[in-house]
Amino acid sequence: MSGSRATPRAIETEKPARRSKPEAESPRRASRSGGGSGGNFDGAWMVTSVGCGGTTTGAVVVTSGRIIAQGVSGSVSGNGSARTVGNFNGVTVTSSGRLSGRSGSGTFRQSTGCGGTWTASKQ
């Protein structure tokens, strides 16, 4: 039995080498967030759009530089440049703008030709 215990201990000494692999991945994670993934904009945002005959307000979530909402997807770069595309009742809406700190603004255009502006605030 003691001979069989030595083998697991030998295997356990190899585990730190395996644990070093995630540490080796850490620089990749750091470079992603530092390399413009938009990580500092992560969180919930309320967006108000004005134009095309009305005003709408909705929530979006930014996670690791990706903008996600119902019917909408997009991205925000590390410098705050944001772009989205969405489809609402068969109408495609594209938008672009900039986030800075806890707010943002930009423009949108519908496939129908009308457009407007949007503002955002971090919740």
XYZ file of all heavy atoms in Angstrom:
849
model
N 0.813 -1.192 0.000
C 0.000 0.000 0.000
C 0.854 1.253 0.000
O 0.523 2.187 -0.667
C -0.914 0.004 1.233
C -1.994 -1.055 1.196
S -3.178 -0.767 -0.079
C -4.322 0.239 0.756
N 1.952 1.241 0.780
C 2.755 2.451 0.814
C 3.374 2.723 -0.548
O 3.567 3.871 -0.915
C 3.840 2.347 1.896
O 4.727 1.290 1.579
N 3.659 1.671 -1.313
C 4.176 1.879 -2.664
C 3.123 2.509 -3.561
O 3.438 3.304 -4.419
N 1.843 2.191 -3.341
C 0.804 2.793 -4.168
C 0.554 4.236 -3.769
O 0.120 5.039 -4.561
C -0.493 1.972 -4.077
O -0.999 2.028 -2.754
N 0.846 4.621 -2.543
C 0.686 6.004 -2.115
C 1.766 6.894 -2.704
O 1.548 8.059 -2.960
C 0.731 6.094 -0.593
C -0.502 5.550 0.051
C -0.452 5.731 1.530
N -1.567 5.039 2.149
C -1.662 4.780 3.417
N -0.681 5.141 4.242
N -2.706 4.164 3.893
N 2.933 6.337 -2.929
C 4.015 7.132 -3.497
C 3.681 7.571 -4.915
O 4.033 8.652 -5.341
C 5.314 6.342 -3.472
N 2.989 6.735 -5.633
C 2.635 7.085 -7.007
C 1.690 8.288 -7.051
O 1.952 9.243 -7.764
C 2.027 5.870 -7.737
O 2.953 4.809 -7.682
C 1.696 6.201 -9.165
N 0.593 8.324 -6.255
C -0.249 9.515 -6.280
C 0.502 10.764 -5.856
O 0.279 11.829 -6.386
C -1.378 9.191 -5.304
C -1.465 7.707 -5.312
C -0.047 7.249 -5.498
N 1.425 10.631 -4.877
C 2.196 11.809 -4.481
C 3.058 12.294 -5.629
O 3.206 13.481 -5.839
C 3.050 11.492 -3.259
C 2.224 11.378 -2.014
C 3.072 11.126 -0.810
N 2.210 10.917 0.342
C 2.503 10.153 1.360
N 3.670 9.534 1.406
N 1.670 10.010 2.354
N 3.604 11.366 -6.386
C 4.403 11.760 -7.548
C 3.520 12.461 -8.573
O 3.918 13.434 -9.184
C 5.073 10.539 -8.167
N 2.301 11.996 -8.714
C 1.373 12.637 -9.643
C 0.999 14.018 -9.129
O 0.925 14.981 -9.866
C 0.113 11.762 -9.856
C 0.512 10.495 -10.620
C -0.968 12.516 -10.598
C -0.602 9.471 -10.702
N 0.812 14.139 -7.802
C 0.469 15.427 -7.225
C 1.567 16.448 -7.460
O 1.278 17.617 -7.659
C 0.196 15.280 -5.735
C -1.128 14.607 -5.442
C -1.349 14.400 -3.971
O -0.627 15.005 -3.150
O -2.245 13.618 -3.626
N 2.836 16.025 -7.469
C 3.904 16.978 -7.712
C 3.861 17.479 -9.148
O 4.366 18.542 -9.440
C 5.280 16.376 -7.414
O 5.471 15.234 -8.246
C 5.409 15.989 -5.955
N 3.227 16.728 -10.035
C 3.103 17.184 -11.414
C 1.950 18.173 -11.575
O 1.896 18.912 -12.523
C 2.880 15.993 -12.346
C 4.077 15.068 -12.431
C 3.803 13.850 -13.274
O 2.924 13.930 -14.150
O 4.453 12.834 -13.057
N 0.991 18.188 -10.628
C -0.154 19.084 -10.730
C 0.235 20.554 -10.776
O -0.338 21.302 -11.541
C -1.151 18.821 -9.607
C -1.950 17.565 -9.825
C -2.974 17.376 -8.734
C -3.753 16.096 -8.964
N -4.733 15.870 -7.892
N 1.215 21.031 -9.994
C 1.574 22.444 -10.122
C 1.979 22.814 -11.552
O 1.711 23.904 -12.000
C 2.734 22.615 -9.149
C 2.462 21.581 -8.098
C 1.875 20.413 -8.858
N 2.577 21.884 -12.278
C 2.906 22.172 -13.668
C 1.635 22.389 -14.470
O 1.566 23.234 -15.331
C 3.725 21.036 -14.261
N 0.599 21.622 -14.147
C -0.682 21.809 -14.828
C -1.323 23.125 -14.422
O -1.931 23.795 -15.212
C -1.616 20.645 -14.517
C -1.202 19.361 -15.177
C -2.197 18.267 -14.886
N -1.682 16.992 -15.303
C -1.863 15.855 -14.679
N -2.572 15.825 -13.573
N -1.357 14.737 -15.135
N -1.171 23.483 -13.163
C -1.740 24.742 -12.693
C -1.065 25.935 -13.341
O -1.643 26.989 -13.450
C -1.613 24.838 -11.180
C -2.560 23.921 -10.466
C -2.461 24.094 -8.977
N -3.138 22.998 -8.313
C -2.718 22.388 -7.243
N -1.583 22.771 -6.674
N -3.387 21.407 -6.716
N 0.163 25.774 -13.774
C 0.860 26.894 -14.397
C 0.289 27.223 -15.770
O 0.458 28.315 -16.246
C 2.358 26.611 -14.508
O 2.585 25.578 -15.449
N -0.416 26.293 -16.372
C -1.001 26.576 -17.680
C -2.018 27.708 -17.612
O -1.953 28.631 -18.389
C -1.608 25.319 -18.293
C -0.570 24.342 -18.778
C -1.216 23.140 -19.404
C -0.163 22.138 -19.838
N -0.777 20.949 -20.418
N -2.981 27.715 -16.642
C -3.879 28.864 -16.561
C -3.131 30.168 -16.311
O -3.513 31.201 -16.807
C -4.814 28.520 -15.400
C -4.808 27.032 -15.356
C -3.413 26.639 -15.760
N -2.032 30.122 -15.521
C -1.251 31.335 -15.316
C -0.635 31.789 -16.628
O -0.540 32.979 -16.897
C -0.158 31.090 -14.281
C -0.704 30.923 -12.881
C 0.358 30.507 -11.890
O 1.535 30.399 -12.272
O 0.000 30.286 -10.725
N -0.255 30.844 -17.470
C 0.287 31.208 -18.773
C -0.792 31.843 -19.634
O -0.502 32.654 -20.492
C 0.866 29.986 -19.475
N -2.066 31.493 -19.388
C -3.160 32.093 -20.140
C -3.491 33.482 -19.634
O -4.097 34.268 -20.322
C -4.404 31.205 -20.045
C -4.247 29.888 -20.774
C -5.428 28.963 -20.534
O -6.417 29.388 -19.919
O -5.345 27.813 -20.963
N -3.090 33.821 -18.407
C -3.405 35.126 -17.836
C -2.961 36.285 -18.712
O -3.724 37.209 -18.912
C -2.801 35.254 -16.446
O -3.426 34.354 -15.573
N -1.757 36.273 -19.277
C -1.387 37.388 -20.143
C -2.334 37.530 -21.342
O -2.623 38.620 -21.757
C 0.033 37.041 -20.602
C 0.552 36.154 -19.524
C -0.643 35.385 -19.043
N -2.853 36.409 -21.838
C -3.806 36.503 -22.949
C -5.085 37.175 -22.495
O -5.623 38.003 -23.182
C -4.095 35.118 -23.519
C -2.991 34.646 -24.441
C -3.384 33.355 -25.071
N -2.532 32.323 -24.488
C -2.837 31.072 -24.386
N -3.974 30.625 -24.831
N -2.006 30.214 -23.851
N -5.555 36.815 -21.292
C -6.765 37.467 -20.778
C -6.505 38.950 -20.570
O -7.326 39.780 -20.898
C -7.198 36.815 -19.477
C -7.910 35.509 -19.682
C -8.604 35.089 -18.411
N -7.668 34.786 -17.323
C -7.233 33.577 -17.044
N -7.611 32.557 -17.755
N -6.402 33.388 -16.057
N -5.370 39.290 -20.016
C -5.062 40.685 -19.759
C -4.941 41.461 -21.062
O -5.418 42.570 -21.167
C -3.764 40.801 -18.956
N -4.347 40.859 -22.065
C -4.186 41.579 -23.319
C -5.526 41.763 -24.019
O -5.731 42.736 -24.710
C -3.197 40.852 -24.243
O -3.743 39.620 -24.659
N -6.461 40.837 -23.800
C -7.777 41.011 -24.415
C -8.477 42.220 -23.827
O -8.996 43.046 -24.536
C -8.632 39.760 -24.220
C -8.393 38.718 -25.263
C -9.515 37.728 -25.264
N -9.658 37.095 -23.961
C -9.520 35.820 -23.728
N -9.248 34.993 -24.703
N -9.661 35.325 -22.523
N -8.485 42.347 -22.487
C -9.186 43.474 -21.901
C -8.404 44.761 -22.116
O -8.993 45.807 -22.294
C -9.451 43.245 -20.416
O -8.241 43.119 -19.721
N -7.090 44.691 -22.140
C -6.293 45.880 -22.375
C -6.174 46.191 -23.848
O -5.796 47.284 -24.218
N -6.516 45.253 -24.696
C -6.343 45.420 -26.124
C -7.588 45.879 -26.837
O -7.753 45.654 -28.022
N -8.507 46.525 -26.120
C -9.637 47.102 -26.808
C -10.896 46.260 -26.776
O -11.765 46.427 -27.606
N -11.037 45.389 -25.809
C -12.244 44.581 -25.772
C -13.402 45.332 -25.152
O -14.525 44.880 -25.193
C -11.991 43.292 -24.989
O -11.805 43.588 -23.625
N -13.168 46.494 -24.584
C -14.246 47.264 -23.999
C -14.612 46.828 -22.603
O -15.687 47.140 -22.142
N -13.735 46.102 -21.919
C -14.037 45.592 -20.600
C -14.426 46.664 -19.601
O -15.232 46.425 -18.726
N -13.885 47.877 -19.700
C -14.229 48.926 -18.751
C -15.646 49.452 -18.970
O -16.150 50.215 -18.168
C -13.208 50.057 -18.807
C -13.086 50.659 -20.189
O -13.309 50.004 -21.190
N -12.707 51.907 -20.255
N -16.348 49.047 -20.013
C -17.726 49.449 -20.263
C -18.713 48.356 -19.866
O -19.914 48.508 -20.050
C -17.921 49.814 -21.736
C -17.047 50.962 -22.171
C -15.985 50.748 -23.030
C -17.267 52.239 -21.692
C -15.169 51.798 -23.417
C -16.451 53.295 -22.067
C -15.399 53.075 -22.928
N -18.203 47.263 -19.316
C -19.064 46.145 -18.944
C -20.152 46.574 -17.973
O -19.902 47.358 -17.057
C -18.248 45.023 -18.305
C -17.459 44.219 -19.316
O -17.496 44.562 -20.510
O -16.806 43.245 -18.899
N -21.343 46.055 -18.187
C -22.453 46.322 -17.285
C -23.728 46.609 -18.056
O -23.796 46.481 -19.283
N -24.749 46.994 -17.303
C -26.059 47.315 -17.886
C -26.110 48.787 -18.281
O -25.631 49.653 -17.538
C -27.158 47.002 -16.882
N -26.688 49.057 -19.432
C -26.845 50.412 -19.945
C -28.294 50.631 -20.360
O -28.919 49.731 -20.914
C -25.955 50.628 -21.172
C -24.479 50.623 -20.892
C -23.690 49.540 -20.638
C -23.631 51.763 -20.843
N -22.401 49.933 -20.432
C -22.331 51.290 -20.565
C -23.829 53.127 -21.031
C -21.238 52.150 -20.445
C -22.740 53.979 -20.913
C -21.463 53.498 -20.620
N -28.821 51.819 -20.097
C -30.133 52.217 -20.600
C -29.901 53.111 -21.804
O -29.124 54.076 -21.737
C -30.925 52.980 -19.542
C -31.505 52.072 -18.487
S -32.584 50.811 -19.172
C -34.104 51.678 -19.228
N -30.569 52.780 -22.903
C -30.387 53.511 -24.147
C -31.721 54.134 -24.558
O -32.741 53.447 -24.603
C -29.870 52.581 -25.267
C -29.681 53.361 -26.558
C -28.575 51.908 -24.846
N -31.698 55.425 -24.865
C -32.884 56.130 -25.341
C -32.615 56.596 -26.766
O -31.622 57.276 -27.026
C -33.208 57.344 -24.451
O -33.439 56.878 -23.125
C -34.443 58.075 -24.958
N -33.496 56.198 -27.676
C -33.384 56.578 -29.088
C -34.500 57.555 -29.434
O -35.649 57.337 -29.057
C -33.501 55.349 -29.983
O -32.493 54.423 -29.687
N -34.140 58.609 -30.149
C -35.106 59.618 -30.572
C -35.019 59.756 -32.081
O -33.943 60.007 -32.632
C -34.824 60.984 -29.901
C -35.829 62.031 -30.363
C -34.824 60.855 -28.384
N -36.152 59.586 -32.756
C -36.185 59.730 -34.204
C -37.178 58.780 -34.818
O -37.773 57.924 -34.137
N -37.419 58.938 -36.100
C -38.356 58.093 -36.835
C -39.755 58.152 -36.220
O -40.469 57.154 -36.162
C -37.863 56.659 -36.937
S -36.288 56.510 -37.801
N -40.110 59.325 -35.727
C -41.455 59.524 -35.214
C -41.685 59.131 -33.783
O -42.829 59.067 -33.341
N -40.653 58.860 -33.034
C -40.889 58.476 -31.646
C -39.629 58.403 -30.817
O -38.525 58.665 -31.303
N -39.829 58.046 -29.568
C -38.745 57.865 -28.615
C -38.891 56.479 -27.997
O -39.988 56.096 -27.591
C -38.820 58.932 -27.506
O -38.706 60.221 -28.097
C -37.704 58.749 -26.482
N -37.803 55.740 -27.942
C -37.818 54.425 -27.318
C -36.686 54.333 -26.308
O -35.632 54.952 -26.488
C -37.671 53.282 -28.340
O -36.427 53.438 -29.029
C -38.804 53.295 -29.352
N -36.921 53.568 -25.270
C -35.909 53.332 -24.252
C -35.804 51.839 -24.021
O -36.822 51.154 -23.946
C -36.270 54.041 -22.930
O -36.372 55.439 -23.174
C -35.214 53.801 -21.865
N -34.576 51.347 -23.937
C -34.361 49.927 -23.690
C -33.027 49.684 -23.031
O -32.174 50.567 -22.972
N -32.873 48.479 -22.522
C -31.644 48.109 -21.832
C -30.764 47.251 -22.727
O -31.254 46.446 -23.513
C -31.976 47.339 -20.556
N -29.459 47.455 -22.625
C -28.469 46.589 -23.267
C -27.452 46.207 -22.208
O -27.324 46.875 -21.178
C -27.763 47.257 -24.474
C -28.764 47.667 -25.531
C -26.915 48.431 -24.047
N -26.730 45.133 -22.471
C -25.667 44.687 -21.578
C -24.380 44.632 -22.379
O -24.351 44.122 -23.498
C -25.985 43.297 -20.981
C -24.819 42.787 -20.152
C -27.247 43.359 -20.142
N -23.318 45.168 -21.798
C -21.987 45.086 -22.400
C -21.188 44.085 -21.589
O -21.111 44.190 -20.364
C -21.283 46.458 -22.410
C -19.862 46.327 -22.950
C -22.083 47.468 -23.215
N -20.644 43.086 -22.272
C -19.829 42.058 -21.638
C -18.604 41.809 -22.505
O -18.741 41.385 -23.649
C -20.615 40.741 -21.479
O -21.794 41.001 -20.727
C -19.789 39.694 -20.769
N -17.434 42.107 -21.972
C -16.162 41.881 -22.678
C -16.182 42.456 -24.085
O -15.751 41.818 -25.037
C -15.845 40.386 -22.716
O -15.696 39.885 -21.413
N -16.702 43.646 -24.217
C -16.691 44.319 -25.508
C -17.835 43.950 -26.429
O -17.921 44.464 -27.531
N -18.741 43.085 -25.989
C -19.894 42.694 -26.808
C -21.136 43.368 -26.255
O -21.372 43.379 -25.055
C -20.058 41.184 -26.790
C -18.829 40.475 -27.370
C -19.026 39.009 -27.415
N -20.000 38.728 -28.470
C -20.454 37.544 -28.783
N -20.032 36.493 -28.119
N -21.325 37.369 -29.755
N -21.949 43.914 -27.153
C -23.204 44.542 -26.781
C -24.314 43.551 -27.094
O -24.410 43.047 -28.213
C -23.429 45.852 -27.566
C -22.293 46.837 -27.270
C -24.786 46.453 -27.216
C -22.302 48.068 -28.159
N -25.148 43.282 -26.096
C -26.197 42.278 -26.244
C -27.513 42.846 -25.722
O -27.564 43.438 -24.650
C -25.843 40.998 -25.464
C -24.489 40.452 -25.901
C -26.936 39.954 -25.615
C -23.910 39.424 -24.960
N -28.571 42.661 -26.501
C -29.931 43.002 -26.080
C -30.871 42.179 -26.939
O -30.452 41.539 -27.912
C -30.202 44.491 -26.267
N -32.140 42.205 -26.599
C -33.106 41.445 -27.381
C -33.166 42.035 -28.792
O -33.470 43.201 -28.989
C -34.485 41.495 -26.739
C -35.488 40.611 -27.427
C -36.805 40.537 -26.661
O -36.939 41.098 -25.585
N -37.757 39.851 -27.230
N -32.815 41.208 -29.770
C -32.845 41.636 -31.170
C -31.672 42.474 -31.605
O -31.636 42.959 -32.729
N -30.698 42.693 -30.722
C -29.569 43.578 -31.022
C -28.256 42.880 -30.670
O -28.164 42.181 -29.673
C -29.655 44.887 -30.203
C -28.446 45.772 -30.445
C -30.930 45.634 -30.519
N -27.242 43.089 -31.496
C -25.895 42.644 -31.149
C -24.916 43.682 -31.668
O -25.222 44.445 -32.581
C -25.583 41.274 -31.754
O -25.607 41.344 -33.161
N -23.753 43.719 -31.053
C -22.760 44.691 -31.491
C -21.501 44.588 -30.671
O -21.278 43.606 -29.956
N -20.703 45.629 -30.760
C -19.429 45.635 -30.049
C -19.059 47.050 -29.651
O -19.521 48.029 -30.242
C -18.325 45.038 -30.923
O -18.137 45.832 -32.071
N -18.222 47.120 -28.626
C -17.639 48.389 -28.196
C -16.145 48.158 -28.030
O -15.720 47.180 -27.435
C -18.295 48.928 -26.903
C -18.180 47.942 -25.769
C -17.709 50.267 -26.508
N -15.345 49.033 -28.618
C -13.895 48.885 -28.544
C -13.377 49.503 -27.246
O -14.123 50.170 -26.516
C -13.237 49.554 -29.752
O -13.408 50.959 -29.676
N -12.113 49.310 -26.982
C -11.503 49.841 -25.772
C -11.559 51.349 -25.687
O -11.603 51.916 -24.600
N -11.601 52.041 -26.847
C -11.682 53.504 -26.818
C -13.123 54.004 -26.769
O -13.370 55.201 -26.795
C -10.938 54.118 -28.009
C -11.622 53.855 -29.339
O -12.705 53.281 -29.413
N -10.980 54.278 -30.418
N -14.108 53.071 -26.708
C -15.503 53.452 -26.565
C -16.302 53.494 -27.845
O -17.505 53.740 -27.826
N -15.672 53.254 -28.975
C -16.392 53.251 -30.248
C -17.370 52.072 -30.264
O -16.972 50.932 -30.082
C -15.400 53.138 -31.404
O -16.082 53.073 -32.625
N -18.661 52.376 -30.470
C -19.697 51.348 -30.390
C -20.444 51.229 -31.711
O -20.717 52.229 -32.372
C -20.679 51.693 -29.274
N -20.776 49.991 -32.077
C -21.564 49.702 -33.276
C -22.535 48.582 -32.955
O -22.172 47.615 -32.291
C -20.679 49.256 -34.433
C -19.730 50.324 -34.923
C -19.073 49.904 -36.243
N -18.373 51.002 -36.840
C -18.932 51.973 -37.559
N -20.216 51.965 -37.768
N -18.207 52.935 -38.085
N -23.775 48.716 -33.433
C -24.760 47.651 -33.242
C -25.565 47.466 -34.514
O -25.612 48.339 -35.382
C -25.755 47.961 -32.098
O -26.529 49.111 -32.452
C -25.047 48.183 -30.784
N -26.212 46.329 -34.596
C -27.189 46.051 -35.641
C -28.319 45.262 -34.991
O -28.078 44.426 -34.120
C -26.569 45.290 -36.845
C -26.060 43.925 -36.445
C -27.545 45.206 -37.991
N -29.529 45.593 -35.387
C -30.680 44.907 -34.821
C -31.787 44.786 -35.850
O -31.762 45.436 -36.902
N -32.760 43.952 -35.535
C -33.899 43.768 -36.420
C -35.167 43.830 -35.587
O -35.334 43.055 -34.647
C -33.794 42.426 -37.146
C -34.759 42.339 -38.306
O -35.930 42.697 -38.182
N -34.267 41.859 -39.423
N -36.037 44.760 -35.935
C -37.281 44.964 -35.211
C -38.429 44.979 -36.201
O -38.507 45.870 -37.051
C -37.241 46.286 -34.426
C -36.082 46.364 -33.480
C -34.893 46.960 -33.869
C -36.165 45.815 -32.219
C -33.820 47.027 -33.009
C -35.093 45.880 -31.341
C -33.919 46.482 -31.742
N -39.290 43.976 -36.089
C -40.454 43.875 -36.978
C -40.064 43.971 -38.453
O -40.718 44.648 -39.240
C -41.500 44.937 -36.625
C -42.034 44.765 -35.231
O -42.241 43.650 -34.765
N -42.236 45.877 -34.538
N -38.971 43.324 -38.814
C -38.527 43.307 -40.205
C -37.744 44.531 -40.643
O -37.349 44.637 -41.799
N -37.504 45.463 -39.754
C -36.736 46.673 -40.067
C -35.356 46.527 -39.434
O -35.240 46.321 -38.221
C -37.438 47.946 -39.532
C -36.575 49.176 -39.780
C -38.804 48.103 -40.154
N -34.316 46.632 -40.253
C -32.949 46.557 -39.751
C -32.512 47.937 -39.281
O -32.723 48.935 -39.976
C -31.991 46.051 -40.844
O -32.416 44.754 -41.253
C -30.559 45.973 -40.341
N -31.918 47.973 -38.098
C -31.437 49.226 -37.523
C -29.939 49.086 -37.250
O -29.510 48.145 -36.588
C -32.176 49.561 -36.212
C -31.670 50.873 -35.636
C -33.676 49.603 -36.428
N -29.160 50.006 -37.778
C -27.724 50.039 -37.501
C -27.431 51.312 -36.724
O -28.053 52.350 -36.952
C -26.887 50.015 -38.795
O -27.262 51.111 -39.624
C -27.089 48.714 -39.557
N -26.484 51.225 -35.820
C -26.128 52.410 -35.043
C -24.626 52.460 -34.825
O -23.934 51.440 -34.898
C -26.848 52.408 -33.687
O -26.282 51.455 -32.829
N -24.161 53.648 -34.552
C -22.760 53.840 -34.197
C -22.683 55.032 -33.257
O -23.559 55.896 -33.242
C -21.894 54.076 -35.437
O -22.291 55.265 -36.094
N -21.643 55.043 -32.468
C -21.449 56.136 -31.524
C -20.280 55.847 -30.627
O -19.406 55.035 -30.960
N -20.293 56.509 -29.492
C -19.160 56.378 -28.577
C -19.653 56.375 -27.136
O -20.523 57.164 -26.774
C -18.172 57.527 -28.782
C -16.929 57.379 -27.935
C -15.806 58.290 -28.380
N -15.429 58.121 -29.758
C -14.599 57.195 -30.218
N -14.074 56.315 -29.383
N -14.285 57.144 -31.493
N -19.047 55.479 -26.355
C -19.264 55.451 -24.911
C -18.044 56.070 -24.244
O -16.917 55.902 -24.720
C -19.435 54.021 -24.405
C -20.567 53.202 -25.006
C -20.568 51.794 -24.425
C -21.907 53.881 -24.793
N -18.284 56.799 -23.167
C -17.192 57.420 -22.427
C -17.597 57.485 -20.962
O -18.612 58.115 -20.632
C -16.916 58.825 -22.960
O -15.888 59.436 -22.211
N -16.850 56.814 -20.119
C -17.206 56.784 -18.706
C -18.521 56.063 -18.499
O -18.660 54.893 -18.817
N -19.523 56.798 -18.010
C -20.825 56.203 -17.722
C -21.924 56.711 -18.651
O -23.106 56.594 -18.345
C -21.203 56.475 -16.270
C -20.192 55.871 -15.287
C -20.612 56.031 -13.853
N -21.871 55.377 -13.554
C -22.002 54.076 -13.269
N -20.933 53.302 -13.265
N -23.174 53.570 -12.983
N -21.544 57.305 -19.786
C -22.550 57.794 -20.731
C -22.072 57.567 -22.167
O -20.924 57.208 -22.407
C -22.839 59.274 -20.491
O -21.685 60.042 -20.745
N -22.963 57.803 -23.092
C -22.612 57.647 -24.495
C -23.674 58.261 -25.378
O -24.774 58.591 -24.933
N -23.333 58.415 -26.661
C -24.288 58.962 -27.620
C -23.861 58.559 -29.024
O -22.722 58.165 -29.264
C -24.370 60.487 -27.512
O -23.124 61.072 -27.825
N -24.812 58.669 -29.941
C -24.515 58.332 -31.316
C -25.741 58.496 -32.198
O -26.713 59.168 -31.816
N -25.687 57.877 -33.341
C -26.768 57.974 -34.320
C -27.205 56.574 -34.737
O -26.459 55.611 -34.585
C -26.329 58.755 -35.572
O -25.223 58.087 -36.173
C -25.946 60.189 -35.222
N -28.420 56.500 -35.290
C -28.898 55.242 -35.839
C -29.595 55.507 -37.173
O -30.015 56.620 -37.474
C -29.846 54.518 -34.862
C -31.185 55.179 -34.693
C -32.256 54.853 -35.527
C -31.392 56.115 -33.699
C -33.490 55.457 -35.372
C -32.628 56.720 -33.529
C -33.680 56.391 -34.369
N -29.681 54.463 -37.962
C -30.361 54.543 -39.252
C -31.146 53.262 -39.443
O -30.639 52.168 -39.240
C -29.353 54.724 -40.381
C -29.903 54.586 -41.759
C -30.247 55.822 -42.532
N -29.557 57.036 -42.208
C -30.164 58.220 -42.201
N -31.441 58.325 -42.479
N -29.484 59.300 -41.934
N -32.404 53.400 -39.848
C -33.245 52.243 -40.140
C -33.171 51.915 -41.626
O -32.879 52.794 -42.452
C -34.703 52.522 -39.762
C -34.925 52.688 -38.292
C -36.401 52.860 -37.952
O -37.257 52.913 -38.821
N -36.677 52.942 -36.664
N -33.476 50.667 -41.968
C -33.481 50.263 -43.380
C -34.586 50.971 -44.158
O -34.546 51.013 -45.386
C -33.635 48.738 -43.493
O -34.820 48.298 -42.853
N -35.524 51.594 -43.463
C -36.579 52.371 -44.123
C -36.063 53.727 -44.582
O -36.749 54.427 -45.323
C -37.759 52.598 -43.163
O -37.286 53.324 -42.014
C -38.395 51.292 -42.738
N -34.880 54.106 -44.111
C -34.289 55.375 -44.519
C -34.297 56.433 -43.433
O -33.533 57.393 -43.500
N -35.162 56.315 -42.449
C -35.177 57.333 -41.396
C -34.088 57.028 -40.369
O -33.549 55.920 -40.321
C -36.549 57.425 -40.738
S -36.961 56.062 -39.661
N -33.781 58.017 -39.584
C -32.736 57.848 -38.589
C -32.954 58.758 -37.415
O -33.968 59.468 -37.328
N -32.019 58.738 -36.499
C -32.120 59.572 -35.313
C -30.880 59.461 -34.472
O -29.816 59.057 -34.947
N -31.039 59.810 -33.224
C -29.921 59.807 -32.286
C -30.229 58.905 -31.098
O -31.383 58.584 -30.838
C -29.637 61.226 -31.756
O -30.790 61.705 -31.061
C -29.270 62.166 -32.902
N -29.183 58.512 -30.396
C -29.351 57.750 -29.175
C -28.414 58.276 -28.094
O -27.362 58.831 -28.401
C -29.137 56.236 -29.394
C -27.781 55.842 -29.906
C -27.438 55.643 -31.193
C -26.601 55.600 -29.139
N -26.115 55.287 -31.297
C -25.580 55.242 -30.031
C -26.315 55.647 -27.770
C -24.280 54.969 -29.615
C -25.019 55.353 -27.347
C -24.026 55.000 -28.279
N -28.838 58.125 -26.864
C -28.004 58.421 -25.716
C -28.055 57.218 -24.785
O -29.039 56.486 -24.764
C -28.479 59.686 -24.954
O -29.831 59.505 -24.558
C -28.333 60.930 -25.825
N -26.998 57.022 -24.031
C -26.917 55.871 -23.131
C -26.360 56.299 -21.793
O -25.535 57.232 -21.709
C -26.036 54.785 -23.738
N -26.803 55.634 -20.743
C -26.240 55.865 -19.413
C -26.052 54.524 -18.726
O -26.920 53.651 -18.795
C -27.138 56.778 -18.579
O -28.398 56.187 -18.395
N -24.911 54.379 -18.082
C -24.597 53.141 -17.397
C -25.383 53.074 -16.101
O -25.478 54.046 -15.363
C -23.093 53.035 -17.123
C -22.660 51.662 -16.678
C -21.157 51.544 -16.678
C -20.739 50.131 -16.360
N -19.288 50.008 -16.321
N -25.956 51.922 -15.842
C -26.795 51.736 -14.648
C -25.982 51.277 -13.465
O -24.983 50.676 -13.565
C -27.908 50.737 -14.953
C -28.783 51.203 -16.090
C -29.443 52.538 -15.837
O -30.281 52.647 -14.941
N -29.068 53.562 -16.566
